[in-house]
């Protein structure tokens, strides 16, 4: 029978002790603790102990989730305890009071059927003579640390320190401290299993230091939180006192919650909106002003009060006035002006018209954005511009829900707030530049805004009430229509604005750009004389654009140069006047005012004012060349003329394509080569050319990406010309898609391409026969100077484009049209 010692006491325990497994509890020697026993094995162990000498082995489970622990589930270090008291419960459980006697180490676990028993070895608690002094020193330090730990810990009563200090041995003090530490079970078990009393004190000192640091930090955070709460309560109390003082003095500004109901009633909101607003006001009255929810509710009510619900501006329904305003602001653009005048005419007869959705499509600089402002001025309405370029979040249109901090309505509702009326003109600029990502598709959110059948009940996520947008005149702008999604395009009336002709640019510069830039740079237009051919020279030598933005920048540069000259002349004149004043004997200036000199600008001054012209008006060579065909392209900045070059070299039939071409254009080149091979005999080409020759197709301006099928017939013409040696007429440009059988299919952007051909002095343009009906949209000036030739097949294209007489050394004749359906102007 083993002997267990505790200070001066000696206990004889059985060879095999009944094991009581503990969940999430570690009991130390010299500690008395109540335990509730309910598991069958635990009850059997208690009964066995009570039947013998009341000794139990208390061992902690490695995992508290194990219901029936085996030997492997228990730690090897435990405490021999004595059952001091036992009480049975009606449910079958037992409540026992145990007293820890001494630490032991289990050498072997033995199963007896209904519970476990263990053979144990006692752990020596006595310190060696060398360790006694160090243990006593550590004990003092640990007790001091424990005293500070208890003072910082809110759940340990201060009396515990007195009990520990009054213990009659260092072992009792150590185990008393370990029993009151709020640490994890694994750490408590490690304390129990230390090899000696000295090791136990060392571990206690380390644990207490780390726990004290954590408690200090917790106390600091707690004090800061309490101080913040006290400050908030103090501010609330003072604010309530301040309100009471204002009420007693009669100086209440009416902006508090009490005045919101009157503002809501005076706003003439729809019934559902008014009900929602009043409900928010009542909720706001019950809230503390310091509550975050109070700020959200007040912001919501403020938005409802700021929006126009019934306010509207009176429309100016005078068609003549609208025509005059549109002509004052813009030159040309007859189609757009007619559409606006039609709308005003209908509005004057009907009185109310569901707002149409106009989409102005054209290259940059043709006046799309400024046209929206002119429409608002012609109608006498408020104008709001909303840029959509780069918008990627669907919440930018529909708003953010009020659950988010800093949420606010979408851009449409914000635009209505700025307009302050229910019938403004809203310009949705750059609708083709909308993006999309994981936050949603803003173009899909615009479907409801731009649908006359749906926008009468537009629902913003922030407002959560229907808002009527049916009286708004929406005008959208875009540079490139294919980038606008098809469902959105279906809801808009498309009005195309092609690039300006040189004559139109000249008229715009004279009527608008020159006077505006002179005034902006401090010059009086009447004091500046610009020769008639100066603007034409600037247009041809210094700009290459469909619009007039670059032209205005060039004119602005001329105006700045003139302003600088005038400032320099004024400075020199001031010096001379000052000198004259000094020599005047009377002390008064006697000179007379010199009238402002007239500044004159001629073509010869342009190089000094603007530098060397970046463009050569004769850059496009109209001479007939072998393997070079002129094509027409439609880009986001208008129509362009491009040369397609083909070179034939020795090789193995390889087709090389350069010039940053897209997949569609590469396929067009392959189709053109296949056509040439299939028609080699009829075209006078060696049928086996693809075996010993390589073709290189290049489209200059290699850094500019190019794509689309409309260059098909131009590529085919250049290939046939290079293989036959017959030059292509330099005054002929062409556009059309080619098939393998040589048919010419229709293309888009004919109006812009025709304007580009006219701008580059091309005399003849070959177009697909199915595009002949689009010639009515081409400006009359272009039709009068350019001959358009509808073609159905590549045979007709080659007959018109190839200059067979020049290849034979004869003088070329005027272009003869073989097809009876040819259209010439």
């Amino acid at each position: 029978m083993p002997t267990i010692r505790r200070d001066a006491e000696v206990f004889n325990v059985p060879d095999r002790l009944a094991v009581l497994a503990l969940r999430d509890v570690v009991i130390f020697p010299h500690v008395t603790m109540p335990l509730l026993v309910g598991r069958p094995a635990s009850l059997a162990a208690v009964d066995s102990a009570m039947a013998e000498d009341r000794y139990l082995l208390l061992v902690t489970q490695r995992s508290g989730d194990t219901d029936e622990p085996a030997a492997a589930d228990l730690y090897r270090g435990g405490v021999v305890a004595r059952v001091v008291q036992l009480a049975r419960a009606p449910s079958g459980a037992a409540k026992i009071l145990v007293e820890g006697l001494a630490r032991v180490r289990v050498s072997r676990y033995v199963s007896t059927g209904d519970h476990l028993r263990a053979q144990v070895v006692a752990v020596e608690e006595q310190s060696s003579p060398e360790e006694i002094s160090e243990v006593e020193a550590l004990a003092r330090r640990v007790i001091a640390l424990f005293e500070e730990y208890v003072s910082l810990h809110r759940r340990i009563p201060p009396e515990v320190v007195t009990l520990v200090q009054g213990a009659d041995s260092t072992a009792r003090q150590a185990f008393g401290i370990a029993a009151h530490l709020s640490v994890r079970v694994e750490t408590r078990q490690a304390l129990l299993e230390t090899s000696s009393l000295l090791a136990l004190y060392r571990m206690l000192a380390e644990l207490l230091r780390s726990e004290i640091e954590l408690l200090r930090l917790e106390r600091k955070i707690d004090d800061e939180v309490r101080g913040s709460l006290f400050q908030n309560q103090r501010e609330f109390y003072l604010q309530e006192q301040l309100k009471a003082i204002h009420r007693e003095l009669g100086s209440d500004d009416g902006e508090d919650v009490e005045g919101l109901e009157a503002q809501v009633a005076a706003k003439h909101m729809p019934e559902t909106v008014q009900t929602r607003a009043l409900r928010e006001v009542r909720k706001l009255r019950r809230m503390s002003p310091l509550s975050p929810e109070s700020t959200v509710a007040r912001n919501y009510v403020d938005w409802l009060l700021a929006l126009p619900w019934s306010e509207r501006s009176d429309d100016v329904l005078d068609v003549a006035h609208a025509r005059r305003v549109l002509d004052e602001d813009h030159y040309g653009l007859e189609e757009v002006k007619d559409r606006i005048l039609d709308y005003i005419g209908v509005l004057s007869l009907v009185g109310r018209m569901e707002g149409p959705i106009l989409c102005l499509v054209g290259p940059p600089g043709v006046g799309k954005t400024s046209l929206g402002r002119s429409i608002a001025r012609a109608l006498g309405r408020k104008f709001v511009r909303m840029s959509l370029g780069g918008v990627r979040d669907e919440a930018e249109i529909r708003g953010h829900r009020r659950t988010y901090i800093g949420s606010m309505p979408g851009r449409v509702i914000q635009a209505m707030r700025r307009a302050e009326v229910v019938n403004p003109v809203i310009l949705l600029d750059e609708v083709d530049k909308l993006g999309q990502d994981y936050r949603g598709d803003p173009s899909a959110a615009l479907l409801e805004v731009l649908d006359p059948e749906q926008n009468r009940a537009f629902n913003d996520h922030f407002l959560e009430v229907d808002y009527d947008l049916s009286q708004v005149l929406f005008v959208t702008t875009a540079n490139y229509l294919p980038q606008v999604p098809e469902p959105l395009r279906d809801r808009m009336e498309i009005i195309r604005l092609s690039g300006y002709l040189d004559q139109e640019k000249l008229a715009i510069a004279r009527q608008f750009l020159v006077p505006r830039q002179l005034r902006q740079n401090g010059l009086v237009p009447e004091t500046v004389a610009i020769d008639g051919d100066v603007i034409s020279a600037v247009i041809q030598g210094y700009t290459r654009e469909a619009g007039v933005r670059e032209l205005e920048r060039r004119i602005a540069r001329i105006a700045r140069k003139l302003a600088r000259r005038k400032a320099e002349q004024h400075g020199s004149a001031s010096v001379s006047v000052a000198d004259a004043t000094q020599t005047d004997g009377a002390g008064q200036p006697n000179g007379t005012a010199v009238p402002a000199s007239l500044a004159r600008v001629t073509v010869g001054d342009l190089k000094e004012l603007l530098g060397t012209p970046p463009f050569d008006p004769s850059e496009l060579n109209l001479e007939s060349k072998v393997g070079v065909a002129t094509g027409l392209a439609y880009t986001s900045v208008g129509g362009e003329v491009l040369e397609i070059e083909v070179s034939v070299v020795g090789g193995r039939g390889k087709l090389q394509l350069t010039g940053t071409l897209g997949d569609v254009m590469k396929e067009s080149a392959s189709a053109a080569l296949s056509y040439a091979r299939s028609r080699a005999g009829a075209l006078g080409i060696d049928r086996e050319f693809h075996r010993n020759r390589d073709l290189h197709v290049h489209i200059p301006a290699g850094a500019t990406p190019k794509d689309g099928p409309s260059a098909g017939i131009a590529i085919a013409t250049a290939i046939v010309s290079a293989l036959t040696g017959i030059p292509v007429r330099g005054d002929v440009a062409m556009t059309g898609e080619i098939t393998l059988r040589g048919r010419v299919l229709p293309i888009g952007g004919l109006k812009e391409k025709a304007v580009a051909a006219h701008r580059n002095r091309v005399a003849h343009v070959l177009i697909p026969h199915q595009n002949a009906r689009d010639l009515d949209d081409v400006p009359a000036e272009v039709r009068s100077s350019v001959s358009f030739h509808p073609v159905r097949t590549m045979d007709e294209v080659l007959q018109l484009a190839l200059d067979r007489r020049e290849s034979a050394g004869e003088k070329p004749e005027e272009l003869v049209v073989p097809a009876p359906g040819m259209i010439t102007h």
Side-chain angles (χ1 to χ4, degrees):
M1 178 176 292
T3 300
I4 303 297
R5 296 180 180 275
R6 185 180 70 175
D7 296 336
E9 298 178 275
V10 178
F11 304 96
N12 295 320
V13 299
D15 294 332
R16 294 183 179 180
L17 289 169
V19 177
L20 178 60
L22 304 179
R23 286 181 174 178
D24 302 326
V25 177
V26 177
I27 296 180
F28 291 88
H30 311 285
V31 174
T32 303
M33 180 179 292
L35 297 175
L36 183 64
V37 181
R39 290 183 290 185
S42 300
L43 289 172
V46 171
D47 293 338
S48 175
M50 295 300 293
E52 299 174 357
D53 298 326
R54 296 193 171 212
Y55 292 111
L56 276 173
L57 176 61
L58 305 180
V59 183
T60 304
Q61 298 178 195
R62 297 181 183 275
S63 172
D65 298 329
T66 306
D67 290 327
E68 296 180 2
D73 301 321
L74 303 176
Y75 285 105
R76 289 286 178 174
V79 172
V80 174
R82 180 172 54 193
V83 181
V84 178
Q85 188 176 349
L86 171 65
R88 300 283 183 178
S91 61
K95 186 175 182 180
I96 62 175
L97 184 66
V98 294
E99 178 188 8
L101 301 179
R103 296 189 297 169
V104 295
R105 182 163 184 81
V106 177
S107 59
R108 181 184 178 189
Y109 284 107
V110 179
S111 176
T112 61
D114 55 352
H115 67 280
L116 285 176
R117 286 184 172 270
Q119 293 180 355
V120 298
V121 177
V123 177
E124 184 61 37
E125 300 290 355
Q126 297 297 327
S127 302
S128 63
E130 297 81 13
E131 296 177 348
I132 291 176
S133 58
E134 186 177 355
V135 167
E136 290 178 352
L138 273 175
R140 293 180 182 179
R141 177 60 181 158
V142 168
I143 290 174
L145 290 173
F146 183 66
E147 186 175 358
E148 184 179 0
Y149 174 83
V150 172
S151 66
L152 293 173
H153 205 291
R154 300 184 184 276
R155 284 177 280 185
I156 301 178
E159 295 79 11
V160 173
V161 178
T162 305
L163 294 175
V164 171
Q165 291 175 341
D168 55 2
S169 68
T170 55
R172 284 178 178 270
Q173 291 177 340
F175 290 127
I177 292 173
H180 287 91
L181 288 182
S182 298
V183 293
R184 295 185 304 171
V185 174
E186 292 82 4
T187 306
R188 296 171 67 87
Q189 183 67 29
L191 289 170
L192 182 65
E193 291 181 356
T194 50
S195 59
S196 64
L197 191 58
L198 178 61
L200 175 60
Y201 269 111
R202 286 175 178 171
M203 189 172 181
L204 284 174
E206 185 176 347
L207 275 175
L208 283 170
R209 289 192 191 99
S210 62
E211 288 296 315
I212 287 172
E213 290 297 325
L214 290 176
L215 289 174
R216 285 174 180 170
L217 183 59
E218 290 177 2
R219 176 65 63 88
K220 179 182 177 182
I221 295 173
D222 186 62
D223 291 341
E224 290 177 354
V225 172
R226 288 176 180 272
S228 176
L229 290 175
F230 173 77
Q231 182 67 19
N232 290 338
Q233 292 171 353
R234 178 173 176 272
E235 289 177 358
F236 174 75
Y237 178 74
L238 292 176
Q239 287 178 357
E240 291 298 319
Q241 282 188 329
L242 189 61
K243 290 179 182 178
I245 293 172
H246 280 303
R247 283 195 295 269
E248 291 297 326
L249 294 175
S251 59
D252 196 0
D253 57 2
E255 290 296 325
D256 292 327
V257 178
E258 289 75 9
L260 288 179
E261 288 190 4
Q263 296 180 43
V264 171
K267 192 63 178 176
H268 303 294
M269 300 177 179
E271 183 178 355
T272 56
V273 180
Q274 186 173 6
T275 303
R276 179 65 180 273
L278 292 175
R279 187 166 71 236
E280 291 293 329
V281 171
R282 288 192 293 269
K283 184 193 302 182
L284 190 60
R285 183 181 289 109
R286 295 191 298 268
M287 292 181 186
S288 166
L290 300 178
S291 170
E293 188 67 23
S294 173
T295 304
V296 175
R298 180 59 185 263
N299 189 33
Y300 177 76
V301 175
D302 287 343
W303 267 102
L304 291 180
L305 291 173
L307 285 175
W309 297 97
S310 57
E311 301 86 350
R312 57 177 294 116
S313 58
D314 295 331
D315 291 332
V316 179
L317 304 179
D318 187 351
V319 178
H321 166 76
R323 164 63 76 176
R324 186 168 58 254
V325 170
L326 293 176
D327 289 340
E328 286 176 359
D329 294 345
H330 292 83
Y331 179 86
L333 305 179
E334 295 301 327
E335 182 181 356
V336 186
K337 293 178 180 178
D338 288 342
R339 180 66 187 87
I340 300 303
L341 295 176
D342 293 344
Y343 172 75
I344 296 175
V346 174
L347 195 62
S348 63
L349 297 177
V350 178
R352 177 185 174 92
M353 182 179 177
E354 298 297 339
I357 313 299
L358 303 180
C359 181
L360 308 179
V361 180
V366 297
K368 300 183 298 297
T369 303
S370 59
L371 188 60
R373 187 174 287 103
S374 297
I375 293 172
R377 194 161 76 91
L379 286 170
R381 293 188 176 188
K382 297 284 189 70
F383 174 75
V384 181
R385 176 181 173 271
M386 191 170 78
S387 178
L388 298 178
V391 174
R392 295 178 174 272
D393 191 353
E394 179 256 355
E396 291 282 343
I397 306 299
R398 285 190 174 274
H400 301 81
R401 300 193 183 276
R402 286 192 291 157
T403 54
Y404 300 105
I405 298 297
S407 59
M408 59 191 306
R411 294 195 179 192
V412 177
I413 297 298
Q414 294 179 36
M416 295 303 298
R417 179 177 182 174
R418 295 197 304 270
E420 299 178 345
V421 291
V422 296
N423 61 336
V425 175
I426 295 183
L427 178 72
L428 305 179
D429 213 2
E430 309 292 353
V431 73
D432 59 328
K433 307 300 189 302
L434 284 170
Q436 66 180 83
D437 58 12
Y438 65 93
R439 292 169 292 188
D441 185 0
S443 63
L446 276 180
L447 296 179
E448 181 182 2
V449 177
L450 299 181
D451 191 340
E453 297 298 325
Q454 300 181 38
N455 62 14
R456 65 178 64 252
F458 174 69
N459 195 284
D460 187 274
H461 288 163
F462 180 85
L463 296 182
E464 296 179 341
V465 293
D466 292 338
Y467 190 84
D468 187 4
L469 297 173
S470 61
Q471 300 182 56
V472 179
L473 175 59
F474 286 102
V475 180
T476 66
T477 69
N479 295 131
Y480 194 53
L481 193 60
Q483 291 181 354
V484 180
E486 184 63 33
L488 189 59
R489 201 185 319 168
D490 182 63
R491 285 163 167 79
M492 301 184 294
E493 182 176 345
I494 308 298
I495 300 178
R496 295 183 179 273
L497 282 72
S498 58
Y500 291 118
L501 305 178
D502 287 353
Q503 290 76 7
E504 292 176 326
K505 292 182 181 180
L506 184 61
I508 292 172
R510 287 176 175 172
Q511 295 182 24
F512 302 100
L513 305 184
V514 172
R516 180 168 64 198
Q517 288 301 325
L518 291 178
R519 292 190 185 94
Q520 289 182 359
N521 289 278
L523 300 173
V524 180
E526 290 75 15
T527 63
V528 179
I530 299 179
D531 288 355
D533 53 352
V534 170
I535 303 300
S536 298
V538 173
I539 293 173
Q540 296 176 5
Y542 291 88
T543 64
R544 277 290 188 275
E545 59 177 344
V548 292
R549 282 184 181 158
E550 182 62 25
L551 176 60
E552 184 171 12
R553 282 192 286 267
R554 296 290 181 175
I555 294 173
R557 186 173 178 182
I558 294 174
R560 288 194 296 271
K561 295 289 187 182
L562 296 177
R564 176 182 171 186
R565 289 180 182 177
K566 183 178 179 180
E568 291 173 348
Q569 293 173 2
H570 180 71
S572 61
S574 299
V575 171
S576 10
V577 170
D579 293 339
T581 302
Q582 290 176 0
T583 59
D584 192 340
Q588 298 292 334
N590 56 6
T592 57
V594 179
S597 59
L598 185 67
R600 189 176 190 84
V601 181
T602 64
V603 176
D605 299 329
L606 287 181
K607 187 170 184 180
E608 179 185 356
L609 296 173
L610 299 179
T612 304
F615 304 106
D616 184 3
S618 59
E619 182 179 353
L620 183 63
N621 196 336
L622 300 180
E623 297 179 358
S624 300
K625 299 177 184 177
V626 175
V628 179
T630 304
L632 297 173
Y634 173 49
T635 68
S636 60
V637 296
E640 294 288 343
V641 173
L642 49 87
E643 287 188 341
I644 298 172
E645 302 174 350
V646 176
S647 177
V648 180
V649 295
R652 298 181 180 180
K654 179 182 177 182
L655 175 63
Q656 184 178 1
L657 304 172
T658 57
T660 319
L661 309 184
D663 293 338
V664 178
M665 187 169 281
K666 291 178 181 179
E667 293 173 359
S668 296
S670 299
L673 178 60
S674 298
Y675 165 77
R677 289 179 58 185
S678 64
R679 298 277 296 162
L683 297 175
I685 304 172
D686 181 11
R687 294 181 181 274
E688 302 297 324
F689 77 89
H690 61 281
R691 297 184 181 275
N692 52 20
R693 295 182 186 178
D694 287 347
L695 292 181
H696 185 173
V697 179
H698 177 70
I699 301 180
T704 305
K706 312 168 190 71
D707 204 1
S710 62
I713 64 173
I715 297 175
T717 302
I719 290 176
V720 172
S721 171
L723 291 173
T724 59
I726 302 175
V728 181
R729 292 182 64 105
D731 59 348
V732 174
M734 60 197 75
T735 178
E737 181 180 352
I738 186 176
T739 69
L740 292 177
R741 297 181 178 275
R743 292 189 299 118
V744 180
L745 302 183
I747 46 83
L750 179 63
K751 183 179 180 180
E752 290 76 9
K753 295 177 180 178
V755 171
H758 171 75
R759 188 167 58 243
N760 289 273
R761 303 182 309 283
V762 174
H764 303 275
V765 176
L766 308 184
I767 63 173
H769 191 273
Q770 296 181 42
N771 286 112
R773 57 180 178 269
D774 299 329
L775 290 174
D776 292 336
D777 297 333
V778 176
E781 185 177 347
V782 176
R783 296 201 304 267
S784 63
S785 58
V786 179
S787 298
F788 294 89
H789 306 273
V791 293
R792 289 187 173 88
T793 63
M794 270 303 301
D795 292 342
E796 299 178 26
V797 174
L798 296 176
Q799 187 174 355
L800 294 170
L802 296 182
D803 195 348
R804 302 180 186 276
R805 290 180 177 270
E806 185 166 317
S807 65
E810 302 178 12
K811 182 180 179 181
E813 296 182 353
E814 290 295 325
L815 190 63
V816 179
V817 183
M822 177 189 71
I823 298 177
T824 59
H825 297 278

